[in-house]
Amino acid sequence: MEPPTFRGKPSDSHVIWRRSGAGADASKRFDEKHLRRWCSARGVDFETDKRVDHDRSDQPREQYRCVFAWSDAESESFDMGDDEWEIATQETPETFVEIDDAGEVRFKSWDDEFVLDVEELWLDGDAFVFRAAEFDGAKRLDARKLKTRPE
């Protein structure tokens, strides 16, 4: 993906888009600053990382992740002979929206997880709104539902 250009975005709220009239061969644009500000205003953690996500590619890609909830760190103790061992896990993202540098997005909610190659993604209040080939029309994900586990 490329950073925004002087030609601007389709709207101030867009995070991913293609230049108008450029067609599917044009690289996608990505406004990381806007996404960071949105996360900061809502108390959402923002992380970047470069790693392989085999659902998207076998090559490392830059990842931009908005984390809404974290899983608790866990530990387990066991005895092996005279030694006692403890294995601990780190906190891991429980619910998140992760964008990679090719414009593919992993959405992880409490119950579902899916990867989409989005053509367009914008922010509307507390929601992510996106268009992807897998769906007809725009779809909306209310990010507030990702902060607290449903009962």
Side-chain angles (χ1 to χ4, degrees):
M1 288 188 301
E2 302 289 330
T5 64
F6 64 91
R7 289 185 177 186
K9 306 190 298 182
S11 74
D12 289 340
S13 62
H14 270 73
V15 175
I16 297 175
W17 71 97
R18 291 188 197 271
R19 192 168 42 97
S20 178
D25 292 337
S27 63
K28 294 177 188 176
R29 301 290 177 178
F30 175 59
D31 191 344
E32 178 184 348
K33 289 180 184 175
H34 182 61
L35 184 58
R36 280 182 181 273
R37 284 192 304 268
W38 184 89
C39 287
S40 179
R42 285 157 180 78
V44 174
D45 293 329
F46 185 86
E47 302 180 331
T48 60
D49 191 13
K50 187 167 191 166
R51 65 179 178 79
V52 174
D53 178 342
H54 292 288
D55 288 338
R56 294 184 264 191
S57 172
D58 291 332
Q59 299 299 314
R61 291 183 178 177
E62 192 72 30
Q63 310 284 335
Y64 307 90
R65 186 183 307 128
C66 307
V67 180
F68 300 94
W70 293 88
S71 68
D72 294 329
E74 296 179 10
S75 65
E76 184 176 323
S77 297
F78 62 94
D79 294 324
M80 185 179 264
D82 293 338
D83 296 327
E84 183 175 322
W85 295 80
E86 185 169 341
I87 298 175
T89 60
Q90 295 178 320
E91 279 185 324
T92 57
E94 183 84 20
T95 60
F96 59 86
V97 173
E98 182 180 71
I99 301 167
D100 73 15
D101 61 11
E104 294 184 14
V105 180
R106 177 181 297 279
F107 295 95
K108 172 74 169 74
S109 70
W110 297 105
D111 301 320
D112 296 313
E113 183 172 354
F114 49 94
V115 175
L116 300 172
D117 186 5
V118 299
E119 285 299 312
E120 197 175 4
L121 183 140
W122 64 96
L123 303 166
D124 182 16
D126 290 320
F128 287 88
V129 185
F130 58 93
R131 294 184 196 281
E134 294 86 350
F135 298 112
D136 290 331
K139 296 298 177 189
R140 180 180 203 83
L141 173 65
D142 187 344
R144 294 174 297 191
K145 293 180 180 178
L146 299 177
K147 284 204 161 234
T148 306
R149 182 179 293 279
E151 297 299 320

